[in-house]
Amino acid sequence: MLEGNYKLFLQQQFTFVRALQHTRENARDTIRPVASISQVQSYMDHHCNNLTDRRILSMFLNICNDLSKLCHKLETLHPGNNATNELLERCKLLLNHSNDLSTIRAKYPHDVVNHLSCNEAKNHFGGVVSLIPIVLDCMKEWVSHAEKHMLRNVSGRSAVSEKRAPQEAAARSASSPQTPSVRSEAQTSISNRDCAQVQGNEHVRKKHVADRENHYGKLKGPWKPPGRHAF
């Protein structure tokens, strides 16, 4: 929306320059350059005599106001770093109504200055026509820096999460109690081992008793009177 308004304004740069020329003449202020937003505001408020001039000057001021609001909105969207903060501060300075614009010049690929005569570009309107394209470039650069910063943060958090995931899983496995199926299998194994041991012990005991009975039976035998032998 904002860039669309600027493109429409850009198509009417000649009308904008003529409006500035008319209002400067009405203000008897044709020597000094148009060097601030407040100067354009003053021309429109006090020295504008036709609707066409008022409309184009109002369009310029509205775009500057929208850009200023966007600066403050961008501050709330991203905490910022040195690069983004510096870009926003520059935008806010350029859009300050009393800031001197006489020395700024929009460079390639912008050609707004090239549409002026040498005298107009150097002495009168070079700064004011350069303001909006320079601010837009700063904001585009801000967006680029902010996106890179957020991507680095997201990538860093993902890498840390991936690195910690196996360690956390191992820790949970070591500290967590056995599942019911694991506990059941362990108990069954222990029970079977105990039964086998009991059965083995019982078998040994019975064998021992039998061996003992056989031994004592063979040694003693039935009682016989002395001197008599049974055949």
Side-chain angles (χ1 to χ4, degrees):
M1 179 66 177
L2 197 155
E3 250 187 309
N5 289 341
Y6 174 63
K7 287 179 180 179
L8 182 61
F9 174 78
L10 193 58
Q11 295 169 3
Q12 304 175 67
Q13 180 174 317
F14 178 80
T15 304
F16 177 59
V17 171
R18 295 285 75 81
L20 289 175
Q21 187 63 45
H22 295 158
T23 52
R24 287 170 74 240
E25 290 173 354
N26 293 338
R28 303 181 188 279
D29 189 20
T30 58
I31 297 176
R32 63 174 180 152
V34 180
S36 67
I37 296 174
S38 62
Q39 196 173 341
V40 177
Q41 182 77 57
S42 177
Y43 288 160
M44 188 188 75
D45 291 343
H46 305 291
H47 308 287
C48 190
N49 295 332
N50 67 74
L51 292 177
T52 301
D53 291 350
R54 181 175 295 277
R55 178 189 59 79
I56 196 67
L57 296 178
S58 178
M59 183 180 289
F60 170 82
L61 293 170
N62 287 339
I63 293 172
C64 292
N65 187 49
D66 290 341
L67 287 170
S68 183
K69 289 179 180 177
L70 183 57
C71 277
H72 294 290
K73 187 175 182 180
L74 293 178
E75 275 186 313
T76 63
L77 289 177
H78 178 59
N81 51 41
N82 290 338
T84 55
N85 290 339
E86 185 178 341
L87 288 166
L88 274 186
E89 287 303 317
R90 187 183 181 204
C91 288
K92 288 191 285 187
L93 176 63
L94 289 169
L95 294 167
N96 187 301
H97 279 212
S98 60
N99 183 57
D100 187 352
L101 307 172
S102 59
T103 58
I104 67 170
R105 294 292 183 273
K107 299 179 181 180
Y108 181 84
H110 304 291
D111 59 358
V112 289
V113 178
N114 297 335
H115 292 168
L116 303 174
S117 69
C118 291
N119 182 52
E120 288 175 335
K122 183 178 180 180
N123 299 316
H124 302 302
F125 312 120
V128 71
V129 299
S130 297
L131 172 63
I132 296 175
I134 289 176
V135 171
L136 286 174
D137 283 350
C138 283
M139 289 188 171
K140 289 176 183 177
E141 192 175 352
W142 182 95
V143 170
S144 178
H145 277 285
E147 286 177 346
K148 289 178 183 177
H149 179 73
M150 287 185 284
L151 284 174
R152 280 197 299 269
N153 286 346
V154 170
S155 299
R157 286 196 296 269
S158 298
V160 170
S161 297
E162 289 176 3
K163 185 176 180 181
R164 292 176 58 186
Q167 298 173 352
E168 291 175 351
R172 286 196 300 270
S173 176
S175 62
S176 63
Q178 292 177 316
T179 61
S181 61
V182 173
R183 288 200 303 270
S184 177
E185 289 174 4
Q187 290 169 353
T188 302
S189 176
I190 293 170
S191 178
N192 290 340
R193 188 172 64 249
D194 291 344
C195 288
Q197 185 175 358
V198 170
Q199 289 172 358
N201 292 342
E202 181 66 18
H203 177 72
V204 170
R205 188 185 66 78
K206 288 180 179 179
K207 187 175 183 303
H208 178 70
V209 171
D211 291 345
R212 184 177 177 186
E213 288 175 351
N214 290 337
H215 176 72
Y216 283 103
K218 288 179 181 180
L219 287 176
K220 291 184 178 181
W223 180 85
K224 295 179 181 180
R228 294 184 180 182
H229 301 277
F231 296 96

